[in-house]
């Protein structure tokens, strides 16, 4: 094993030394795996997600959420005409699906048949500008608020259970994430122009990885899936990710598991499997 590299970051008058174990550059990934296309079906898609049971979820331009089986057969559908546009489907738990409607700062929770089991309206005094959400492993919710510049863990009664400090204090500059994901290892905020901040499951800062250009970072169990500079990677950490071959570099949306990828190319949903 290579000697871990140490990154030291200054934030105000405090220095943070963060350790990263990196096993080589992504561009020089030693393990390359091929994942061939096996089938496809036509669909108009604005959001795309999947779960660990290989079920597919997508939102149409009319804001209808469809749940399909692995072959693309529609099993259930859901829509809400009153909350505006969906910005997030989190189906990491297929029995407890999270939807976020930012226009009304509303979270909906659905069961496996897409029936609403709970709804939470975020309070403006707690979250003046909530932009990113993700389902926690303990059935709570992670919320990044751009107004406060903090990461927060909230229960379903609207109580804040833990919060990070202002993210700009960690780096000494403004951090502007556009992605929030979590798995059993931690919580990740991605700023594509600066890198990734990782936190433990109590919103405590763990590390900063200055890897830029990360697109559509996703997490399932202990795995991370993402794209960087047109190449796709999957692994337990960013630094140890394995490159995937066989996927077009310009896919508009993609999601999936290490050996099963679902993507949208602008006209069709594509399914890749090895």
């Amino acid at each position: 094993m290579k000697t871990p590299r140490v990154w030291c970051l200054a934030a105000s008058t405090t220095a943070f030394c963060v350790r990263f174990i990196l096993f080589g550059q992504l561009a020089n990934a030693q393990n390359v795996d091929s994942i061939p296309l096996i089938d496809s079906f036509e669909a108009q898609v604005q959001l795309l997600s999947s779960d660990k049971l290989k079920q597919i979820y997508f939102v149409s331009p009319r804001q209808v959420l469809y749940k399909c089986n692995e072959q693309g057969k529609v099993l259930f559908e859901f829509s809400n005409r009153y909350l505006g546009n969906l910005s997030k489907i989190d189906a990491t738990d297929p029995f407890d699906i999270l939807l976020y409607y930012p226009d009304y700062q509303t979270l909906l929770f659905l069961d496996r048949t897409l029936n609403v089991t709970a709804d939470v309206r975020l309070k403006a005094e707690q979250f003046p500008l909530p932009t990113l959400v993700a389902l926690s492993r303990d059935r709570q919710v992670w919320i990044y608020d751009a107004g406060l510049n903090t990461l927060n863990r909230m229960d379903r009664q609207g109580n804040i259970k833990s919060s990070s400090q202002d993210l700009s204090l960690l780096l000494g500059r403004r951090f502007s994430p556009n992605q929030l994901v979590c798995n059993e290892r931690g919580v990740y905020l991605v700023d594509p122009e600066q890198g990734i901040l990782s936190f433990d499951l109590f919103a405590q800062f763990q590390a900063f990885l200055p890897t830029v250009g990360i697109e559509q970072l996703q997490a399932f169990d202990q795995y991370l899936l993402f794209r960087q500079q047109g190449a796709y990677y999957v692994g337990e950490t960013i630094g140890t990710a394995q490159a995937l071959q066989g996927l077009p570099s310009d896919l508009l949306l993609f999601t999936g598991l290490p050996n099963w990828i679902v993507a949208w190319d602008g006209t069709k949903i594509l399914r890749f499997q090895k």
Side-chain angles (χ1 to χ4, degrees), residues 16-33:
F16 292 90
C17 291
V18 183
R19 298 176 65 85
F20 283 92
I21 302 177
L22 302 178
F23 296 85
Q25 299 295 322
L26 289 176
N28 300 315
Q30 295 181 355
N31 297 319
V32 179
D33 207 353

Side-chain angles (χ1 to χ4, degrees), residues 203-220:
Q204 298 302 303
F205 172 65
Q206 296 294 293
F208 170 65
L209 180 61
T211 301
V212 300
I214 298 292
E215 301 177 60
Q216 299 187 50
L217 179 67
Q218 297 164 65
F220 283 99

Side-chain angles (χ1 to χ4, degrees), residues 24 51 67 75 79 81 143 145 149-150 169 204 226 251 253:
D51 65 32
K67 176 180 179 178
L75 303 175
S79 64
R81 297 179 297 169
I143 301 169
D145 189 282
N149 204 26
T150 57
L169 299 179
Q204 298 302 303
F226 60 95
L251 292 171
L253 300 168

Side-chain angles (χ1 to χ4, degrees), residues 165-183:
Q165 66 184 114
D166 186 326
L167 301 187
S168 63
L169 299 179
L170 297 175
L171 302 178
R173 59 182 181 274
R174 182 73 180 179
F175 191 80
S176 302
N178 65 355
Q179 303 167 66
L180 167 61
V181 300
C182 72
N183 62 8

Side-chain angles (χ1 to χ4, degrees), residues 131-238:
T131 56
L132 303 173
V133 303
L135 193 64
S136 171
R137 302 304 92 183
D138 56 3
R139 294 173 55 84
Q140 299 187 34
V141 182
W142 289 103
I143 301 169
Y144 168 72
D145 189 282
L148 302 174
N149 204 26
T150 57
L151 176 66
N152 308 271
R153 183 169 58 96
M154 184 191 75
D155 66 21
R156 300 195 183 193
Q157 289 70 48
N159 303 308
I160 298 177
K161 309 303 289 186
S162 55
S163 297
S164 72
Q165 66 184 114
D166 186 326
L167 301 187
S168 63
L169 299 179
L170 297 175
L171 302 178
R173 59 182 181 274
R174 182 73 180 179
F175 191 80
S176 302
N178 65 355
Q179 303 167 66
L180 167 61
V181 300
C182 72
N183 62 8
E184 61 188 34
R185 292 176 177 270
V187 187
Y188 309 91
L189 280 168
V190 182
D191 181 334
E193 297 183 356
Q194 298 189 66
I196 302 172
L197 289 176
S198 70
F199 300 81
D200 67 15
L201 300 179
F202 301 96
Q204 298 302 303
F205 172 65
Q206 296 294 293
F208 170 65
L209 180 61
T211 301
V212 300
I214 298 292
E215 301 177 60
Q216 299 187 50
L217 179 67
Q218 297 164 65
F220 283 99
D221 296 330
Q222 74 270 33
Y223 293 101
L224 298 173
L225 170 68
F226 60 95
R227 179 170 61 192
Q228 186 186 42
Q229 297 178 346
Y232 299 82
Y233 301 91
V234 64
E236 294 189 11
T237 67
I238 298 293

Side-chain angles (χ1 to χ4, degrees), residues 41-48 57-66 68 252-253 263-269:
F41 59 93
E42 292 189 0
Q44 292 301 308
V45 178
Q46 286 193 343
L47 294 175
L48 180 67
Y57 304 78
F58 71 91
V59 176
S60 73
R62 296 174 62 87
Q63 297 302 298
V64 178
L65 170 64
Y66 295 94
C68 306
L252 298 180
L253 300 168
W264 185 61
D265 66 359
T267 59
K268 293 180 291 185
I269 290 179

